[in-house]
C-alpha cells in the first residue's frame, strides 16, 4: 500500500477489457497497451493507452494525462480550442516516458455537456459571448465533468500516486477527492493561435487554468 493509505482496486471483466493497439505517431509505429472501461452508467466509457515501463522503472510513479474527448478538436483538428494540441503533446510525452498513461474520456465532450449543446454554445460565442457566458445562457454548467471513472481506472491499473499533465486545477482537486494522490503537476504548454486566443484567455481568466 502506498504511503498515502490509498489502495489500488481492480475492476472485473464486466467493466474492463484489454488489447494491444499499434498507433502511428510522427511517422513512427508505437505499440501501446489499450484498455477500455465501462463506467457505472452505460453512456460512460473510457479508454486508457499505457506505455508500461518494463525494467526497474516499472515501479516508478507514472506520468498521466486525463484527456476530455473533443470531436471538433481531436478528430477534425478545429482551431477553436486547444484539445488536439494538448492530445498530441500528451501522446508524445507519454510514449517517451516509461510508465506513461493517457486516459481518454469521450463523455467529457464539451466539458461534459455533450456535442450538441457545445455547438449551441459555439453559436452564442459567434455572437460575442465567451465560453463561460455561453454555457450560462443555454442553462448548462460551465464545467459538468466528473472524474470518478478516471480515478477508478488509475486504481485498476494500480497507480494511485501519479504525476498529472494538466493546466486545470479543478482536475487535480477532483482526482484527489476521488482518492488519487497527485505528486506534481506537469504543465501542457500550447502556443495560442488566431482562432483560440480568446478561448485560452477565458480559460485563464475565468476558469483559473494555469496558462
Ligand atoms: Zn476541444
Amino acid at each position: 500500500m502506498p504511503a498515502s493509505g490509498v489502495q489500488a482496486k481492480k475492476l472485473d471483466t464486466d467493466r474492463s477489457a484489454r488489447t494491444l493497439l499499434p498507433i502511428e505517431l510522427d511517422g513512427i509505429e508505437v505499440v501501446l497497451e489499450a484498455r477500455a472501461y465501462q463506467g457505472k452508467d452505460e453512456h460512460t466509457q473510457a479508454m486508457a493507452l499505457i506505455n508500461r515501463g518494463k525494467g526497474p522503472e516499472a515501479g516508478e510513479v507514472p506520468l498521466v494525462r486525463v484527456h476530455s474527448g473533443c470531436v471538433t478538436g481531436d478528430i477534425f483538428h478545429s482551431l477553436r480550442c486547444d484539445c488536439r494540441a494538448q492530445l498530441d503533446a500528451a501522446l508524445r510525452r507519454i510514449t517517451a516516458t516509461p510508465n506513461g498513461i493517457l486516459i481518454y474520456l469521450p463523455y467529457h465532450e464539451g466539458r461534459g455537456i455533450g456535442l450538441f449543446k457545445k455547438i449551441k454554445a459555439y453559436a452564442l460565442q459567434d455572437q460575442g459571448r465567451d465560453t463561460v457566458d455561453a454555457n450560462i445562457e443555454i442553462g448548462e454548467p460551465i464545467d459538468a465533468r466528473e472524474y470518478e471513472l478516471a480515478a477508478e481506472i488509475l486504481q485498476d491499473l494500480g497507480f494511485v500516486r501519479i504525476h498529472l499533465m494538466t493546466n486545470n486545477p479543478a482536475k487535480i482537486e477532483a482526482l484527489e477527492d476521488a482518492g488519487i494522490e497527485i505528486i506534481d503537476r506537469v504543465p501542457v504548454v500550447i502556443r495560442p493561435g488566431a482562432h483560440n486566443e480568446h478561448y485560452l484567455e477565458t480559460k485563464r481568466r475565468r476558469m483559473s487554468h494555469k496558462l
Side-chain angles (χ1 to χ4, degrees):
M1 199 195 291
S4 64
V6 183
Q7 199 161 17
K9 210 167 37 198
K10 294 264 171 231
L11 292 173
D12 60 32
T13 49
D14 285 353
R15 305 247 342 253
S16 98
R18 74 169 90 172
T19 186
L20 288 178
L21 196 66
I23 65 166
E24 187 260 302
L25 190 66
D26 298 326
I28 295 166
E29 184 180 309
V30 184
V31 181
L32 297 166
E33 182 183 330
R35 297 196 186 201
Y37 288 91
Q38 176 64 60
K40 283 172 186 156
D41 80 78
E42 63 178 306
H43 306 294
T44 307
Q45 298 186 346
M47 175 125 212
L49 293 179
I50 304 145
N51 182 34
R52 207 180 273 279
K54 290 174 187 71
E57 74 274 9
E60 278 177 21
V61 174
L63 176 67
V64 177
R65 167 76 185 163
V66 176
H67 189 85
S68 296
C70 173
V71 167
T72 47
D74 297 342
I75 297 176
F76 298 117
H77 307 186
S78 161
L79 301 174
R80 285 182 77 139
C81 58
D82 59 345
C83 301
R84 167 78 183 188
Q86 291 204 43
L87 183 61
D88 280 349
L91 270 175
R92 287 194 187 103
R93 189 75 191 265
I94 274 153
T95 50
T97 304
N99 267 352
I101 300 166
L102 174 86
I103 296 176
Y104 190 89
L105 305 167
Y107 66 96
H108 272 192
E109 177 69 47
R111 294 197 193 106
I113 65 172
L115 181 60
F116 176 67
K117 286 174 180 162
K118 177 173 92 169
I119 301 302
K120 266 180 101 166
Y122 271 11
L124 289 173
Q125 290 169 39
D126 293 343
Q127 297 165 25
R129 311 309 188 278
D130 71 21
T131 173
V132 170
D133 288 333
N135 277 38
I136 293 168
E137 203 164 318
I138 61 168
E140 291 296 331
I142 295 159
D143 196 334
R145 292 174 290 186
E146 52 76 26
Y147 293 89
E148 196 190 329
L149 181 56
E152 279 192 310
I153 291 169
L154 288 167
Q155 283 167 354
D156 179 66
L157 294 170
F159 297 124
V160 290
R161 303 174 79 225
I162 63 168
H163 304 287
L164 186 67
M165 268 187 98
T166 188
N167 299 325
N168 183 0
K171 201 180 278 186
I172 295 176
E173 207 175 303
L175 284 169
E176 283 182 336
D177 286 349
I180 302 300
E181 191 184 339
I182 315 288
I183 305 291
D184 60 1
R185 179 180 80 85
V186 179
V188 194
V189 182
I190 305 297
R191 214 175 301 139
H195 296 281
N196 66 12
E197 210 166 355
H198 183 60
Y199 162 88
L200 292 171
E201 171 61 17
T202 305
K203 284 219 284 196
R204 189 183 66 74
R205 199 167 45 80
R206 303 196 67 187
M207 302 181 78
S208 310
H209 284 220
K210 308 284 184 205
L211 296 167

